Amino acid sequence: MHGEYKVPGGKLVVVDLEVEDGTLRHVRVAGDFFLEPDEAFDALSRALEGAPAETDTAGLAARVDAALPEGTVMYGLTSEGVGVAVRRALAHATDWTDYDWQLIHEAPQSPALLMALDEVLTEEVAAGRRPPTLRVWEWESPAVVIGSFQSLRNEVDQEGAARHGVQVVRRISGGGAMFCEPGNAITYSLSVPDSLVQGLSFADSYAYLDDWVLDALGDMGIKAWYQPLNDIATDAGKVAGAAQKRVAGGHGAVLHHVTMSYDIDAEKMVEVLRIGREKLSDKGTRSAKKRVDPLRRQTGLPRETVIERMLDSFRGRYGLTVGKATDEEMARARELARTKFSSPEWTARVP
């Protein structure tokens, strides 16, 4: 069995092992990490030898910690990362490079249609009829996108939204409200097979699926990091928020989408979103305007260039072929946009 895991912000950990009579045997840990002293390297594999195959990540990490020589220093590696790689091996998890990734980046579409495409494309990946897909959104009009479980009246000032011509839509994933305007937001979705995140906890899957964009931002000179549970941040402030939805059917799939702030009309945002004092204090700020620091200021690059740099980074790591939603997928998405994502019943499912 073979498992791989790139520690968020760190290095690749690779574990090869066998299972005999319910225990781990012939374990070998490797990777491009740094480790001192040299004796600690063999200790990693010895620590896992004979462990019950059902041991969870925390239990495996504890075995590693107990076995390492005193004074061990790890660079780009964590004991938890070793545990995750083991769990991924046992779950027969796949890797990014096991797939032929498809890119969908089309003309601007309505907020409701953008929501519907997330559902349709991820269902198609789950059913095995579509390859793993990276979709870059283009907004036809401004919108507030609220999480699946948020209260409409608590999150949105509907008078402010109407005054500014902002449509309110509800997505299928959880998480918080996002304020998006054409030209100001960079939004993308990953629709991936469930096997890509096998062996990862729900929280770990966020970091794992966000890691490529951290590298892409790094290529543009921006030091960014994953901030649990679902934010991407820099020294200057938050730049993005993520959300997920697990889709059953077939072999299962995960929808992971991210909205990044390229630019923002902060005055308009606070007139449309009801951002409570508790949420602001939780972020350690006094003003909603200070919670987000747009990529336009941090990169000095046009939005189109930022997107292209991101796609080039993804393509260089995993490969990426330009594609499109099929006619059948578009027909289903348009129907869903009309009957579900534009309907008051769905938008106000939590009033």
Side-chain angles (χ1 to χ4, degrees):
M1 298 178 185
H2 178 86
E4 297 185 2
Y5 179 61
K6 184 179 181 298
V7 176
K11 297 294 185 176
L12 182 69
V13 184
V14 180
V15 175
D16 292 285
L17 57 85
E18 297 175 13
V19 175
E20 297 177 0
D21 298 324
T23 62
L24 307 187
R25 298 295 181 191
H26 312 295
V27 181
R28 172 52 65 189
V29 179
D32 60 355
F33 48 81
F34 300 92
L35 183 65
E36 295 290 349
D38 198 59
E39 297 77 44
F41 177 61
D42 288 333
L44 291 175
S45 299
R46 288 199 307 269
L48 301 169
E49 192 73 23
E54 67 271 14
T55 307
D56 63 13
T57 298
L60 295 167
R63 291 177 69 101
V64 170
D65 287 336
L68 291 173
E70 186 176 352
T72 294
V73 178
M74 297 185 282
Y75 300 93
L77 173 69
T78 64
S79 56
E80 291 79 9
V82 175
V84 169
V86 171
R87 296 309 313 171
R88 285 175 60 75
L90 293 168
H92 301 285
T94 54
D95 185 66
W96 296 84
T97 54
D98 291 333
Y99 299 104
D100 295 323
W101 289 87
Q102 185 175 114
L103 169 67
I104 296 179
H105 188 190
E106 298 182 338
Q109 294 163 322
S110 71
L113 183 57
L114 291 169
M115 302 302 113
L117 280 166
D118 260 358
E119 182 168 330
V120 170
L121 296 179
T122 308
E123 287 177 349
E124 289 297 288
V125 171
R129 292 187 292 264
R130 158 167 288 283
T133 300
L134 168 61
R135 179 170 67 98
V136 178
W137 303 20
E138 293 295 346
W139 295 88
E140 186 177 84
S141 57
V144 166
V145 184
I146 59 176
S148 182
F149 313 112
Q150 287 189 296
S151 163
L152 176 60
R153 71 165 65 97
N154 288 347
E155 297 297 326
V156 182
D157 184 325
Q158 295 192 63
E159 290 184 1
R163 184 168 63 253
H164 291 292
V166 176
Q167 182 180 355
V168 182
V169 289
R170 185 185 295 273
R171 61 179 183 265
I172 61 173
S173 62
M178 305 297 295
F179 175 66
C180 304
E181 293 186 288
N184 281 1
I186 297 175
T187 307
Y188 66 86
S189 299
L190 287 167
S191 296
V192 306
D194 186 66
S195 57
L196 184 62
V197 296
Q198 281 297 305
L200 300 177
S201 68
F202 186 78
D204 285 341
S205 71
Y206 272 85
Y208 184 68
L209 295 175
D210 280 338
D211 197 57
W212 74 273
V213 82
L214 302 186
D215 288 341
L217 290 171
D219 292 343
M220 288 181 268
I222 300 175
K223 179 175 174 51
W225 60 87
Y226 163 75
Q227 186 167 294
L229 171 63
N230 60 337
D231 288 346
I232 296 173
T234 71
D235 286 333
K238 174 180 172 180
V239 295
Q244 281 188 13
K245 173 69 176 178
R246 306 298 169 108
V247 174
H251 298 291
V254 177
L255 167 67
H256 179 91
H257 46 198
V258 173
T259 293
M260 311 178 75
S261 177
Y262 173 73
D263 204 350
I264 193 164
D265 185 333
E267 297 289 347
K268 186 185 297 183
M269 180 184 72
V270 297
E271 291 181 21
V272 172
L273 291 181
R274 298 185 188 278
I275 302 177
R277 293 180 180 178
E278 183 177 347
K279 182 177 289 187
L280 291 175
S281 63
D282 181 56
K283 300 295 183 180
T285 63
R286 294 183 180 180
S287 168
K289 302 173 188 177
K290 297 178 182 178
R291 292 183 58 209
V292 178
D293 195 79
L295 290 172
R296 180 179 181 178
R297 189 190 68 77
Q298 294 198 46
T299 65
L301 298 172
R303 175 179 176 275
E304 294 74 15
T305 302
V306 173
I307 292 173
E308 192 53 45
R309 295 271 188 94
M310 290 170 58
L311 296 179
D312 285 345
S313 182
F314 191 102
R315 188 178 293 111
R317 287 169 170 81
Y318 312 126
L320 190 62
T321 302
V322 177
K324 64 177 184 178
T326 67
D327 291 344
E328 180 182 348
E329 289 168 341
M330 287 303 302
R332 286 172 54 200
R334 289 191 184 99
E335 181 65 10
L336 268 180
R338 183 183 68 83
T339 60
K340 178 177 180 177
F341 292 101
S342 297
S343 71
E345 291 78 14
W346 171 254
T347 306
R349 68 176 294 204
V350 184

